[in-house]
Amino acid sequence: MSFLSVRSNDANRVRSTRLLGSVVALGSVAFVSGCSTSDVATSAYAPMSLSLPAPQSYPDGKGGFRPALKRSELQQFDYATIYSGMNDDGTVIPAFDYTKMNARYLRQEVNYFGPQSKGTIVIDARRKHLYLILGNRKAMRYGIAVGKEGFGWTGNSRLEWKQKWPTWTPPPEMIERKPHLKKYADGLKGSPSNPLGARAMYLYKNGKDTLYRIHGTDKPHSIGLAASSGCFRMINQDVMDLYDRVGVKGSVQVKPQVDLAMVEGGR
């Protein structure tokens, strides 16, 4: 087989993987002021039923191809341990039943070949993934929920501050849409039943609070869906892990979708 034939086959594999990724991860970009408490009609909280073949090579950005790396070269997680119940400074966080979650939304380390620098958060709104760039062409990937269709926004912001067990205060616009939330106008203190969950990271743009958050949730079954009014929800155990890894003043890039050629090693 000639070099040109091998290269053509590799290109076809990459295109096929991109197409399959788009088909199975259809969704909407969503990002709006405030975070909703609403439930969802459908859920990603179900065992993974689709397995895609791993590509054998990826574009190297120079007109050629690089071989795919093995998952054994990436950090592996004991999900029974990382998603177990825990005591967080006196607040009990219940265990998360990861066996019922679509595996693509569980925490995992992946190879990441994008241009972003270490510490940057990249959000793939269509596929419902959040990447924390670790450097050395690695990223930690987490499953998230994004906002409902009709609250679309993508762009760049900055993580200005973060908080443990944050108080949730619905903005006036949300109370106007959902009058029953008026009772929380003065704020709902942090707890496992608080919509912001165990941690919150606050996003600013041009020095102003966007009212958009990366936060935990009391509804982990919503991960993988367009479920909130704009904020990015995470499993509490995952948002705690992200909180400990990320610093303030970091860049947060919200994209309609991430080029699958830039990522490898995920399920």
Side-chain angles (χ1 to χ4, degrees):
M1 182 179 295
S2 70
F3 171 77
L4 290 177
S5 297
V6 172
R7 184 168 177 171
S8 175
N9 289 337
D10 284 338
N12 288 335
R13 279 193 290 270
V14 171
R15 285 193 293 269
S16 298
T17 302
R18 287 178 178 170
L19 176 59
L20 284 169
S22 298
V23 170
V24 300
L26 290 177
S28 60
V29 176
F31 203 17
V32 75
S33 301
C35 299
S36 173
T37 61
S38 61
D39 285 315
V40 289
T42 57
S43 176
Y45 198 58
M48 186 173 182
S49 59
L50 177 63
S51 177
L52 298 179
Q56 300 303 305
S57 63
Y58 291 80
D60 63 6
K62 300 178 182 179
F65 291 85
R66 54 179 171 77
L69 301 179
K70 299 177 181 178
R71 279 203 57 83
S72 60
E73 299 176 30
L74 299 169
Q75 180 180 0
Q76 303 297 301
F77 292 104
D78 177 358
Y79 289 132
T81 297
I82 67 173
Y83 290 124
S84 64
M86 60 185 69
N87 188 312
D88 183 47
D89 295 331
T91 301
V92 176
I93 299 174
F96 171 66
D97 189 354
Y98 69 94
T99 64
K100 294 182 179 179
M101 173 62 71
N102 187 316
R104 67 169 59 91
Y105 300 120
L106 299 178
R107 187 192 317 172
Q108 52 195 286
E109 186 179 79
V110 297
N111 292 299
Y112 187 89
F113 298 90
Q116 293 83 7
S117 60
K118 181 178 179 180
T120 300
I121 290 174
V122 179
I123 292 174
D124 184 330
R126 179 176 292 277
R127 298 185 182 91
K128 318 300 187 297
H129 284 145
L130 181 151
Y131 297 87
L132 173 64
I133 309 306
L134 302 176
N136 297 320
R137 295 191 171 185
K138 296 287 192 295
M140 195 64 65
R141 193 181 80 183
Y142 308 88
I144 60 173
V146 300
K148 290 181 179 178
E149 185 176 1
F151 296 108
W153 185 92
T154 58
N156 296 334
S157 58
R158 187 167 296 277
L159 195 162
E160 289 289 347
W161 66 290
K162 54 185 187 175
Q163 186 177 1
K164 295 182 178 181
W165 295 108
T167 296
W168 177 68
T169 305
E173 296 86 353
M174 182 178 290
I175 294 176
E176 184 177 352
R177 296 197 308 269
K178 301 179 179 181
H180 69 279
L181 298 179
K182 187 176 180 179
K183 60 183 177 181
Y184 300 127
D186 294 329
L188 175 64
K189 292 183 178 181
S191 73
S193 60
N194 186 304
L196 293 182
R199 303 287 188 271
M201 287 154 273
Y202 298 75
L203 308 185
Y204 283 63
K205 189 175 182 66
N206 299 324
K208 297 182 179 180
D209 186 359
T210 63
L211 300 181
Y212 308 149
R213 319 289 186 232
I214 298 170
H215 64 83
T217 181
D218 58 340
K219 295 181 174 64
H221 60 277
S222 65
I223 301 303
L225 301 174
S228 71
S229 287
C231 294
F232 301 106
R233 299 180 184 179
M234 301 177 68
I235 300 165
N236 274 329
Q237 285 85 345
D238 281 349
V239 78
M240 293 171 68
D241 183 74
L242 176 64
Y243 183 99
D244 289 340
R245 292 175 184 270
V246 71
V248 295
K249 308 299 182 182
S251 174
V252 179
Q253 302 179 9
V254 184
K255 298 179 177 296
Q257 63 183 32
V258 170
D259 186 349
L260 288 181
M262 295 295 99
V263 182
E264 69 175 74
R267 300 186 187 191

